[in-house]
Structure formats: C-alpha cells, structure tokens
Amino acid sequence: TFKKTFKFLSRNCTVGELYLLSEEVCIQCPVGSFSFEDPMEEENRLGSCTKCPASSYCPGGSHLIPKAGFWRMHNRSTVIDE
C-alpha cells in the first residue's frame, strides 16, 4: 500500500498573526503583544510579536491601544505620545 500525507494552509495568515513554518499554522500574537507585519511576506516569515509599551494596552493580534492621556498619529504607528 501507498500512503502519502499532505499539509496545507487553508488561509493566509493575517497582520497580527505569526506563521509557524515548522507546523504550517498561524497563531495570533498573545495579550500583551502586537504585530503590524504581514506574516506571509517572505521577509517577515521569521517575525515575532512586539511587547506592548507601558503606555498602551495590547489585547493581542494587531491591536495597540494607547492608555488614557496617550495618543498615536495613526493606527499602524508604534510611536505613542503623551
């Protein structure tokens, strides 16, 4: 008998997720971290989630929410101003 196992990614990973090549799965950045990188672009394949700055709240994924009294220029900016 002949047996062949295939793995495939059913969807592309999205911003806020990491692509684990070894397991061929997408995982969301956990609470306390975020990512604005596209994990499907070759240069981001070995990416990682960024630790949330003290001036913000990060519920995971691609969410970086400034705390009261802080702001940022646009929703993909990592610069948090007071």
Side-chain angles (χ1 to χ4, degrees), residues 11-60:
R11 67 168 178 86
N12 284 340
C13 299
T14 61
V15 172
E17 296 179 325
L18 299 177
Y19 176 59
L20 298 182
L21 184 59
S22 62
E23 298 177 36
E24 297 181 352
V25 296
C26 304
I27 59 164
Q28 182 175 321
C29 289
V31 172
S33 66
F34 69 96
S35 176
F36 294 149
E37 305 293 331
D38 181 348
M40 300 313 291
E41 291 182 8
E42 191 65 36
E43 65 270 14
N44 298 330
R45 287 282 172 99
L46 298 177
S48 61
C49 299
T50 302
K51 185 179 183 212
C52 194
S55 57
S56 302
Y57 170 67
C58 299

Side-chain angles (χ1 to χ4, degrees), residues 1 3 13-14 20 24-25 32 41 55 62-63 66 70 72 74 79:
T1 62
K3 182 177 179 180
C13 299
T14 61
L20 298 182
E24 297 181 352
V25 296
E41 291 182 8
S55 57
S62 62
H63 303 287
F70 294 89
R72 59 188 174 142
H74 55 82
V79 177

